[in-house]
Amino acid sequence: MNATHQYLFDAARAVRLGDPPPPAPGTHDLAVLRAARDRRRFARALAGRPARGGLRTALSRAVLFGAALFGASRSGPSRTAPAPAPCRRPAD
């Protein structure tokens, strides 16, 4: 059973009992995401860290760390294909 099925069951039960129907699935998703973002910013401010830019900074650090770890340049791997190895025939 998915969220839509559960919503339909709850809506039918609410009509039968005379209660108001529940909100449709996904109605408050943006509000929940905004509240989570605000809480994370508040916690960062209380800890004395900048309230914005934490994700971007962490991702740039990860990219730089990965480049240093694997010896690649920051621009990424080159797009040219390596030259094929020469074919050698076995001696007769």
Side-chain angles (χ1 to χ4, degrees):
M1 178 181 326
N2 59 25
T4 304
H5 292 133
Q6 186 64 46
Y7 168 72
L8 292 173
F9 284 135
D10 291 341
R13 184 180 305 123
V15 168
R16 193 175 67 235
L17 297 175
D19 295 336
T27 302
H28 302 292
D29 287 355
L30 288 178
V32 169
L33 291 175
R34 284 186 190 116
R37 181 194 61 198
D38 291 344
R39 180 166 174 79
R40 188 176 65 240
R41 284 182 180 172
F42 182 69
R44 289 180 65 84
L46 287 179
R49 297 187 309 251
R52 291 179 162 225
L55 180 63
R56 183 175 293 167
T57 304
L59 288 175
S60 66
R61 243 186 277 130
V63 167
L64 290 175
F65 177 72
L69 185 64
F70 296 112
S73 66
R74 184 168 184 199
S75 63
S78 65
R79 302 230 178 218
T80 59
C87 182
R88 296 187 180 164
R89 290 184 160 181
D92 290 330

